[in-house]
Amino acid sequence: MRHLKKTELRGSTALTLKDGGSDDDPNDIVSKAIGDLTETVNKRLDDIEKKTDTTKLEERLDKIEAKANRAKGDGDDDPDEKAETEKKAFANYLRLGNQTPADEIKALTVSNDPQAGYLAPAEMSTEFVRNLVEFSPIRSIASVRGITGPSVKYPKRNSVTNAQWEGEAEDSEESEPTFGQLEVFPYKLTTFTDISNELLSDSGGTAEAEVRLALAEDFGKKEGTAFVNGTGSGQPEGLMTHPDIAETVNGSTTALSPDKMIDLMYALPAMYRNAGTWLMNGTTLAAVRKLKDGDGRFLWQPAFTAGQPETILGRPVVEAIDMPDISSGAFPILYGDFSAYRIVDRLAMSILSDPYTQARKGVTRMHATRRVGGRVLQAARFRKLKMSTS
């Protein structure tokens, strides 16, 4: 913005003024008017200069110009601009090969290559590659309860009364039913894992989510194994380790007998049999699907309605990876009413993040804990198939 200088205006007016004019001289009147006008203009110019500080405006312009001309350091590059430069340089390299300008080849160099090649700009996928974790789905068919104490006790009737037919005037016999208790303890399943703080911050929460998922899958697998084969000492009691569950002998060491499976099913009381479910692993299920009755009909029936389970002899079948394979002396099949297997949850899986104890190493420790128990409440509701021994 260009400002009119007061000295210039005064100089221009001074040329028209005459000294020594009288009050009645028209020239004196004109000179006086011009002098008043000059004074008014100068005053307004002074006001404008006060409002517009040219010095400050010039300083701001100088700063902007200096910043634009300043050389950029290593950390001043715009990430988006740099990525765009890499893409353009890579496209030129694909078209021109070794004729690519040297400045663009520098943009392509990500790491040294023994063949003097150049790598494409790296890209990180958000998809994780995970191995399948299989576990026995006993929870889906068992009876599950939550508890708030260190254990839970279930009253049990060991025997019934002893009523007898008696004649007139004869004394009745006394009955002495006995009772007991079954106690189910929740056992602790625990582990911990360390994650570097850099990984936690750089992954944007993905690493922690993956660790939590891995812990949940691991705990689910360990639970399923214990519900099937647990010893009952320091871990839940498994279905296959209960000593009072009766058995039906197959009659062969390697080949399943359709007749023996029918015998096994009908060896249970009708009330338990009609609420029963077959339990076996995938290898045994494949063998069962090939079995036929005396009329050539398959024992296995597919589900004709979506969401309905497959059935064997009209009863649903559940595949459990922890069940044993068909072999001499093994128990590959269990049938029964699984509401008689009780699972108690004292504490759902709890994950505690501890960033303090390993802080000197730059590591966050994640502790996972689960308290759960399981036990067969009524062995009479189950029956297993035993392969013969050679």
Side-chain angles (χ1 to χ4, degrees):
M1 181 178 179
R2 186 175 179 274
H3 299 286
L4 184 62
K5 295 182 178 180
K6 294 183 286 185
T7 56
E8 294 176 355
L9 182 59
R10 292 191 184 99
S12 61
T13 56
L15 295 175
T16 60
L17 296 178
K18 293 184 178 179
D19 297 333
S22 63
D23 293 340
D24 299 331
D25 190 349
N27 291 332
D28 292 339
I29 297 174
V30 173
S31 298
K32 183 178 181 182
I34 293 175
D36 294 341
L37 177 61
T38 301
E39 184 179 356
T40 302
V41 171
N42 287 334
K43 183 177 180 181
R44 291 188 178 182
L45 288 174
D46 289 337
D47 294 340
I48 294 174
E49 287 181 354
K50 290 179 181 179
K51 292 181 180 180
T52 305
D53 191 347
T54 58
T55 304
K56 292 184 178 180
L57 181 60
E58 290 176 357
E59 289 179 355
R60 292 184 61 188
L61 291 174
D62 291 341
K63 289 181 180 180
I64 294 173
E65 184 177 2
K67 185 176 180 180
N69 295 332
R70 185 181 62 190
K72 291 186 178 181
D74 294 339
D76 294 336
D77 293 338
D78 186 357
D80 295 335
E81 181 180 353
K82 184 178 180 181
E84 188 65 26
T85 302
E86 289 183 354
K87 291 179 181 178
K88 290 181 179 179
F90 184 63
N92 289 336
Y93 180 76
L94 293 179
R95 293 196 309 268
L96 304 177
N98 292 331
Q99 303 301 321
T100 307
D103 56 343
E104 294 188 357
I105 289 180
K106 291 180 180 179
L108 286 173
T109 303
V110 179
S111 62
N112 293 328
D113 185 88
Q115 307 301 324
Y118 301 97
L119 304 181
E123 178 178 332
M124 176 63 74
S125 174
T126 58
E127 179 183 1
F128 265 77
V129 179
R130 308 182 185 94
N131 294 328
L132 177 64
V133 178
E134 294 184 279
F135 50 89
S136 299
I138 305 301
R139 278 184 174 272
S140 63
I141 53 177
S143 176
V144 183
R145 298 286 189 274
I147 62 174
T148 57
S151 66
V152 58
K153 294 181 179 180
Y154 295 96
K156 178 183 178 182
R157 187 181 65 191
N158 296 323
S159 63
V160 296
T161 57
N162 185 25
Q164 297 182 359
W165 299 100
E166 304 221 356
E168 185 177 0
E170 293 182 355
D171 293 337
S172 61
E173 296 291 334
E174 180 183 3
S175 294
E176 297 181 352
T178 58
F179 299 89
Q181 286 184 340
L182 287 175
E183 189 170 10
V184 184
F185 294 92
Y187 299 97
K188 184 168 68 173
L189 185 63
T190 182
T191 188
F192 70 87
T193 184
D194 292 338
I195 311 176
S196 70
N197 294 332
E198 287 81 1
L199 179 58
L200 286 175
S201 59
D202 293 346
S203 66
T206 304
E208 182 177 358
E210 285 299 320
V211 170
R212 290 177 178 271
L213 177 61
L215 289 170
E217 291 177 342
D218 179 38
F219 277 45
K221 180 176 178 59
K222 298 296 172 38
E223 279 186 10
T225 300
F227 294 154
V228 176
N229 297 309
T231 62
S233 177
Q235 58 183 277
E237 178 190 63
L239 287 157
M240 301 303 294
T241 58
H242 196 284
D244 296 334
I245 294 180
E247 61 189 45
T248 296
V249 180
N250 178 69
S252 173
T253 58
T254 57
L256 291 174
S257 170
D259 293 340
K260 293 301 180 179
M261 291 185 64
I262 295 174
D263 291 343
L264 180 151
M265 181 177 180
Y266 282 89
L268 291 176
M271 182 175 293
Y272 302 154
R273 179 175 67 245
N274 294 334
T277 300
W278 298 94
L279 188 71
M280 63 192 75
N281 66 19
T283 303
T284 304
L285 182 58
V288 171
R289 291 190 63 169
K290 302 172 186 177
L291 297 178
K292 300 178 182 179
D293 60 16
D295 297 328
R297 294 173 298 189
F298 286 100
L299 298 182
W300 173 86
Q301 295 92 30
F304 295 102
T305 305
Q308 296 298 318
E310 301 169 346
T311 61
I312 298 175
L313 299 174
R315 297 306 306 165
V317 56
V318 172
E319 182 179 344
I321 191 175
D322 296 300
M323 289 291 289
D325 293 329
I326 298 174
S327 62
S328 177
F331 297 88
I333 297 176
L334 178 69
Y335 181 77
D337 179 6
F338 284 85
S339 64
Y341 185 78
R342 183 59 49 84
I343 296 174
V344 294
D345 290 326
R346 174 63 181 87
L347 177 66
M349 190 178 75
S350 172
I351 298 179
L352 173 65
S353 295
D354 177 15
Y356 304 109
T357 57
Q358 304 296 317
R360 294 182 60 185
K361 299 179 181 179
V363 167
T364 294
R365 177 162 291 181
M366 299 183 68
H367 298 268
T369 305
R370 178 93 165 93
R371 290 182 64 189
V372 61
R375 183 175 181 178
V376 175
L377 296 184
Q378 289 180 282
R381 297 195 183 199
F382 299 95
R383 197 171 186 90
K384 51 190 177 182
L385 182 70
K386 180 180 180 180
M387 303 300 293
S388 298
T389 57
S390 55

